[in-house]
Amino acid sequence: MSAHPFSRRHLLGGAAALSLGTLPFGRARAAGPLTVGFIYVGPKDDYGYNQAHAQGAAALKAIPGIEVVEEENVRETTDVQKTMESMINLDGASLVFPTSFGYFDPHVLIEAKKNPKVQFRHCGGLWTEANPKNAGSYFGYIAQGQYLNGIVAAHASKSKRLGFVAAKPVPQVLNNVNGFLLGARSVDPSITLQVIFTGEWSLAVKEAEATNALIDAGADVITCHVDGPKVVVETAARRGAFVCGYHADQSALAKDKYLTGAEWNWASIYKGFVADLQAGKAPPNFVRGGLPDGFVKMSPYGPAVSEAARQNADAVKAEMMKGGFAIIKGPLKDNKGNEVAGAGTALAENAIELEKTSYLVEGVKGSA
């Protein structure tokens, strides 16, 4: 929770009648610890997106001269603007990480313009050169992890039908859906994947309904891209399906049904940004990395993963660790029959085109 026993955004809203000049801003300008703010759209213990970022924030707390302030459950509305302003004005934050996708436009853009001496770094692929230079974006090539999930899933599946519970059809999610299916099809080209979009980053009822619907339709391995995978993982395991995790390690929730998972390792990114500020320079505006860079990691294999699956996935992971691994390579069509990659075409993990992905590949049942 926040370092203060109150909601920052509510305090700032309630203080509207006060002159901002009367508030204790001195800390923001005085020499001393570097204060870093983290804002989460959900709880820090969600076994998913927010927990992964909170683990990265926790790594900063051990660094001398760093103070970390956090606030959970901040909606993707003007609430996040109030929270950012409070962290800046009350806590003296000079580096702010508004971590949720929907925080960026317009909220981060507004606050970056209002606070030119503060650095804002947003998780996602939304920053462009036209945006404020004191803002930026960072993300990881976690589709690599979903590709490895798909390999392991293919070895475990008997029905040859996989299921994916997804939040919204944005490029990052679509890349993960495609990566999971293409990893599975590298093992068995006949495998299909059904995807259901819930329309929300976190909506437990719809996530449970989607998981049950996928299993009812024959899927025997489930994965997801939602903020908190807990409901998906527990529902699938309870139904007897295998699970591949996402964001963080959910193995404790599924035990023998957990195969492996694609996890974030944000600590290395956050430490890099802090080191830049401590050295007196602005962090880069555009940061990306994958397995070779330590931005992404894999959960340990579960007991149901066969030796053949381990060897297969480990061999592909070794290739990924060399850099330049292409998940999207031709000839490849989308699930509407349109060509997305011609013969001889290969898009490595750092191909900028992937940040604008708008399609689902052939073999995925569902619509973006």
Side-chain angles (χ1 to χ4, degrees):
M1 288 295 291
S2 157
H4 298 287
F6 47 75
S7 164
R8 286 182 174 78
R9 57 189 182 276
H10 291 154
L11 173 84
L12 203 62
L18 296 176
S19 165
L20 290 178
T22 67
L23 294 174
F25 296 166
R27 239 174 97 211
R29 306 293 176 253
L34 170 64
T35 300
V36 183
F38 286 87
I39 306 170
Y40 314 111
V41 74
K44 294 193 297 180
D45 58 353
D46 66 350
Y47 282 94
Y49 184 83
N50 298 291
Q51 182 169 314
H53 284 291
Q55 289 170 346
L60 297 186
K61 297 176 183 178
I63 300 176
I66 300 298
E67 290 187 0
V68 174
V69 293
E70 302 168 274
E71 185 152 353
E72 311 169 86
N73 300 309
V74 180
R75 295 179 299 173
E76 293 177 326
T77 65
T78 54
D79 280 358
V80 73
Q81 293 183 40
K82 295 173 184 177
T83 295
M84 284 187 275
E85 290 183 9
S86 179
M87 287 180 169
I88 294 164
N89 295 328
L90 299 181
D91 299 295
S94 53
L95 174 61
V96 181
F97 293 107
T99 58
S100 191
F101 187 86
Y103 289 162
F104 186 76
D105 189 359
H107 310 299
V108 169
L109 297 178
I110 288 172
E111 292 303 319
K113 291 175 183 176
K114 289 172 63 175
N115 299 278
K117 294 183 179 180
V118 176
Q119 294 293 328
F120 299 80
R121 292 299 178 272
H122 176 260
C123 183
L126 301 178
W127 184 87
T128 70
E129 291 286 348
N131 297 140
K133 297 300 185 286
N134 61 321
S137 75
Y138 61 96
F139 205 64
Y141 304 128
I142 202 165
Q144 294 179 322
Q146 282 288 17
Y147 188 93
L148 296 174
N149 274 350
I151 290 173
V152 175
H155 283 274
S157 177
K158 290 183 169 56
S159 69
K160 304 307 176 184
R161 297 178 183 178
L162 310 180
F164 201 116
V165 180
K168 302 181 181 184
V170 299
Q172 292 87 341
V173 177
L174 298 177
N175 284 329
N176 282 331
V177 176
N178 293 338
F180 186 64
L181 185 275
L182 291 172
R185 284 200 157 185
S186 73
V187 177
D188 183 345
S190 71
I191 287 178
T192 59
L193 172 65
Q194 176 75 52
V195 59
I196 297 177
F197 291 97
T198 65
E200 300 289 344
W201 293 116
S202 182
L203 199 58
V205 172
K206 284 192 175 182
E207 290 161 11
E209 290 174 347
T211 304
N212 282 316
L214 292 169
I215 295 170
D216 289 343
D220 57 0
V221 185
I222 304 293
T223 191
C224 65
H225 185 155
V226 296
D227 271 4
K230 186 174 188 290
V231 170
V232 174
V233 170
E234 291 182 329
T235 302
R238 188 167 56 248
R239 290 287 308 274
F242 288 114
V243 179
C244 289
Y246 186 62
H247 289 314
D249 186 352
Q250 294 100 32
S251 57
L253 303 176
K255 302 189 183 303
D256 61 335
K257 290 298 182 181
Y258 195 82
L259 298 175
T260 185
E263 299 183 37
W264 296 110
N265 183 28
W266 295 123
S268 60
I269 300 175
Y270 292 148
K271 288 178 179 179
F273 285 150
V274 163
D276 286 336
L277 279 184
Q278 288 181 318
K281 60 182 181 180
N285 299 103
F286 189 89
V287 177
R288 300 291 187 274
L291 282 164
D293 312 285
F295 289 14
V296 176
K297 60 183 179 179
M298 296 300 293
S299 303
Y301 294 123
V305 179
S306 68
E307 184 59 29
R310 292 169 187 254
Q311 291 182 4
N312 191 171
D314 285 347
V316 175
K317 182 180 178 182
E319 289 301 309
M320 289 179 173
M321 294 298 287
K322 297 176 184 178
F325 187 87
I327 292 173
I328 301 296
K329 52 189 176 183
L332 182 66
K333 294 181 178 180
D334 66 17
N335 64 357
K336 297 178 181 178
N338 303 306
E339 183 179 82
V340 297
T345 300
L347 299 179
E349 70 266 21
N350 60 351
I352 197 66
E353 297 96 317
L354 295 175
E355 301 212 10
K356 296 182 179 180
T357 297
S358 60
Y359 56 84
L360 293 167
V361 297
E362 185 177 21
V364 177
K365 298 178 181 180
S367 177

